[in-house]
Amino acid sequence: MNNSKSVVNDRVQPDDRYKGVLSELQIELKTPCEEYPSFGMDEHYYLTISKTSKLESNSIWGVIRGLETFAQLFYLSDDYNVIRINTTDITDFPTYPHRGLLLDTSRHYINVNNILKTLDAMAMNKMNVFHWHIVDDQSFPYQSEKFPELSEKGAYHSSMVYTKADIQRIIQYARFRGIRVVPEFDVPGHTRSWGVAYPNILTQCYDYERKNVVDLGPINPLSDVALKLLKDFFEEVQELFPDKFLHVGGDEVNLNCWNSNPELVKYMKDNNVTAEGLHALFMGNVFPLLSYNKTSIVWQEVFDEYVPLSKETVIQVWKSLPAIEMIKVLLAGHRVLFSSEWYLSVLKNEWWDYYTYNPRQMVYDVTSDETLLPNIVGGEACMWGEMVDDRNVISRVWPRACAIAEKLWNSVLDRDRRVSAAPAEAYNRLEEHVCRMLRRGVDAQPPSGPGFCVL
C-alpha cells in the first residue's frame, strides 16, 4: 500500500494512490511453537500488505522473519512527516539454512550488552547462527562451574568473564530472535589460556636440539589428564548450550611443537605415525566426548589431515582455494560451511567485496554438478578479535556483515554467471538499511561513502 499523503492542518490529504490506513496485522501460526531454533528449521513465511494485513507461517521462526520484513516495509515520506507502506504480497524463505556470524571474545573481551546488540543486528538481517568463539590462546572468559580456575587464572580480569547466568541470558535472547547459539571450544590448538590453570595438559615445546623447554604448545595428545578434563568440561558445556551442534575447532595446531617434544617423538617413532597422525588420534578421542545427540563442527584442517570423521560432521572451510576444498569435502559426504572470503577481520575489505561470493555458485562454477550443492548448508561471517573491542565491534561488523546475510538469505544460482559484482540496487538497499539499523540502536558505520540518515 503506497500510503502517499500530505498533512495540512492536521488532516490527511490523500492522493490518487492512497488506499487507506493499515489497521492491523493478523498473524497465523499453523503449528505449535518449537522451544529452540534448530538447524533446518522452517523459516518460510507469507505476507500480504493491505488495510488488514496478514502474516502466515508454519513455524514461529517464519513468523519472526516475516515480522522483520513487515517492519522493514515501512518508510518515511520525503518530508519525514508520514510513515508509508506499499501494498504487496510476499512469499519468502532462505536459500541457506545456516547463516552465521562468528564473534571472537577471547582476543578482546566483548561485554554482554554488545553481544545482545549483535544479536539484535543479526535478527534485522535474518541471520540465524551466533557462532561464539568464546575462548582462545589469549584469554579464557568462559566461567566453568567444574573448573573455575580456567577463568580465574585464564581470563584477562575477573570482570571479563561470562557467567552461567550471562550465557543463559544470551541463549534466551537469541532464542526469541530465532538465532541458534553454537559455542566453539577449540582443541587441541588455540589453548594456551587453558594452560595458565592447567599447564600439565599442554605440550612442552623444546628448542631445536630438543634439550630445553622454550614454550607450551597445543594440548598434549597423549595426556590422560587432558582427556579426562575435556570429558568433564564438554559434559558441562553440552548441558549449558542447547543447540545440537558444538564446534570443537581443530585448526592451526602447532605440529612443530609436537615434533620437538621427546616423548611425542618417541611415540611417533614407535607407532610409525606423523604429527598429523597425532592430530587424528587426538580428535578421534575428542569426538566420542560429545553426547549422542550432539554433532560436531570442525575447521577444514581436521578434514585435510585425514582425521576419521562421521558423515554428520560439518566442515568449515576458511583457507584459500575454497571451491576446490569444498568439492573435496562434499565428495567425501560431508556438509560444508563457507567462510574463506568472509573474514570481517580483513580491514581493507568493504561490504561489496563480501557480496561477490555465493558458495554454491563457486562450486557450480568448477563442477557444474548441482547434486553436490545442497550439502553446502551455508556460511559465516567471521569477526576475529585482534583489532576489535567494545568500542568498535558493532561498527566493524555492520554493515559489512549485511552483505553476507543477504547472500545467504537470497542467492540465486546463475548458470550463465553473468553477474559477479554487487548490483547498483544493492548499494541503495544497504544505504536505506543502515539508516534503519541506526534508528533501531545499532551503530553501523556508513556503508558506501558520503550520505546522511534522518534519525
Side-chain angles (χ1 to χ4, degrees):
M1 176 169 51
N2 191 319
N3 195 2
S4 181
K5 315 166 190 176
S6 59
V7 178
V8 180
N9 296 326
D10 297 326
R11 296 184 62 188
V12 175
Q13 302 295 325
D15 64 21
D16 56 4
R17 294 174 294 172
Y18 174 65
K19 296 185 178 180
V21 175
L22 190 154
S23 58
E24 65 180 39
L25 173 66
Q26 299 175 350
I27 299 176
E28 183 179 353
L29 175 60
K30 297 184 177 180
T31 61
C33 289
E34 299 170 88
E35 185 176 6
Y36 285 98
S38 60
F39 175 78
M41 59 188 171
D42 185 358
E43 297 174 274
H44 291 64
Y45 66 89
Y46 313 93
L47 179 62
T48 297
I49 302 297
S50 60
K51 285 185 179 181
T52 298
S53 298
K54 188 171 185 179
L55 171 62
E56 300 178 43
S57 180
N58 289 325
S59 79
I60 187 62
W61 319 120
V63 168
I64 290 172
R65 305 298 174 236
L67 285 171
E68 182 59 43
T69 295
F70 179 70
Q72 293 185 18
L73 290 173
F74 291 95
Y75 63 98
L76 292 170
S77 60
D78 291 342
D79 58 8
Y80 302 103
N81 286 322
V82 177
I83 298 175
R84 295 173 173 168
I85 190 167
N86 297 328
T87 55
T88 189
D89 291 291
I90 296 173
T91 298
D92 198 15
F93 53 90
T95 301
Y96 292 96
H98 186 121
R99 307 179 304 282
L101 171 67
L102 177 152
L103 186 64
D104 169 11
T105 59
S106 172
R107 272 75 177 216
H108 285 95
Y109 176 81
I110 305 299
N111 69 40
V112 171
N113 285 338
N114 270 329
I115 291 177
L116 299 182
K117 188 172 289 188
T118 297
L119 294 168
D120 284 335
M122 290 176 65
M124 293 178 205
N125 289 276
K126 299 187 175 74
M127 299 181 97
N128 67 357
V129 179
F130 176 52
H131 175 171
W132 194 353
H133 187 88
I134 192 167
V135 304
D136 209 293
D137 285 325
Q138 289 75 17
S139 74
F140 200 102
Y142 170 78
Q143 190 178 78
S144 169
E145 293 186 338
K146 290 185 177 181
F147 303 99
E149 299 88 353
L150 285 168
S151 60
E152 287 173 2
K153 296 182 178 182
Y156 285 130
H157 187 267
S158 60
S159 66
M160 297 180 182
V161 298
Y162 303 106
T163 66
K164 182 177 181 179
D166 291 332
I167 292 169
Q168 289 173 330
R169 180 184 177 196
I170 288 166
I171 291 170
Q172 188 78 332
Y173 198 89
R175 171 187 172 229
F176 289 151
R177 287 151 183 78
I179 297 171
R180 300 161 47 208
V181 179
V182 176
E184 179 183 356
F185 292 93
D186 195 352
V187 292
H190 293 280
T191 49
R192 187 62 183 82
S193 64
W194 301 57
V196 181
Y198 296 98
N200 59 326
I201 72 171
L202 300 185
T203 305
Q204 292 183 327
C205 311
Y206 282 71
D207 59 19
Y208 181 75
E209 295 180 346
R210 297 178 185 164
K211 292 182 178 179
N212 300 305
V213 176
V214 295
D215 201 358
L216 292 177
I219 291 176
N220 187 329
L222 303 183
S223 170
D224 293 335
V225 173
L227 197 62
K228 176 64 168 62
L229 185 150
L230 289 175
K231 178 180 182 297
D232 293 339
F233 181 82
F234 280 132
E235 282 180 0
E236 173 184 308
V237 166
Q238 290 172 99
E239 289 176 3
L240 180 56
F241 290 89
D243 198 81
K244 177 182 177 181
F245 288 83
L246 177 65
H247 205 305
V248 294
D251 65 313
E252 297 184 321
V253 180
N254 184 356
L255 302 182
N256 289 331
C257 176
W258 284 354
N259 279 320
S260 77
N261 182 281
E263 176 196 6
L264 298 187
V265 169
K266 182 179 186 305
Y267 179 89
M268 287 186 278
K269 182 178 179 181
D270 291 346
N271 293 274
N272 194 29
V273 296
T274 62
E276 288 82 1
L278 285 181
H279 190 195
L281 172 69
F282 176 83
M283 298 306 295
N285 287 330
V286 166
F287 294 131
L289 304 182
L290 276 61
S291 63
Y292 73 94
N293 61 345
K294 290 286 186 180
T295 300
S296 57
I297 305 174
V298 295
W299 296 104
Q300 72 177 73
E301 288 96 322
V302 179
F303 174 83
D304 292 342
E305 292 172 8
Y306 304 104
V307 175
L309 300 170
S310 76
K311 295 300 183 184
E312 291 297 306
T313 304
V314 179
I315 314 300
Q316 188 160 3
V317 172
W318 69 278
K319 291 187 174 183
S320 58
L321 303 177
I324 301 301
E325 180 75 14
M326 286 192 285
I327 291 169
K328 291 179 182 177
V329 173
L330 293 168
L331 290 175
H334 296 289
R335 291 171 291 182
V336 170
L337 291 174
F338 170 79
S339 290
S340 296
E341 307 294 346
W342 286 343
Y343 269 41
L344 301 175
S345 48
V346 180
L347 303 184
K348 66 182 179 63
N349 284 355
E350 299 296 345
W351 69 265
W352 50 84
D353 298 309
Y354 303 117
Y355 197 92
T356 303
Y357 299 97
N358 174 0
R360 288 179 182 169
Q361 182 74 57
M362 295 167 68
V363 167
Y364 180 80
D365 287 346
V366 175
T367 69
S368 300
D369 183 355
E370 295 189 34
T371 64
L372 297 176
L373 304 186
N375 272 344
I376 305 174
V377 296
E380 293 182 351
C382 297
M383 186 68 259
W384 298 104
E386 288 87 350
M387 301 299 292
V388 295
D389 60 14
D390 280 322
R391 283 152 287 281
N392 68 344
V393 64
I394 298 298
S395 62
R396 192 60 62 77
V397 173
W398 310 103
R400 296 191 300 157
C402 298
I404 297 165
E406 181 169 311
K407 295 296 287 196
L408 289 169
W409 181 271
N410 188 28
S411 285
V412 177
L413 189 66
D414 182 1
R415 290 167 179 81
D416 298 324
R417 196 59 168 175
R418 293 181 298 273
V419 178
S420 57
E425 58 266 26
Y427 285 78
N428 296 334
R429 279 199 302 274
L430 196 54
E431 288 285 347
E432 181 181 5
H433 190 51
V434 165
C435 291
R436 185 183 297 119
M437 293 177 75
L438 291 172
R439 292 185 191 112
R440 292 169 65 177
V442 176
D443 294 329
Q445 70 178 18
S448 309
F452 71 99
C453 295
V454 175
L455 303 180

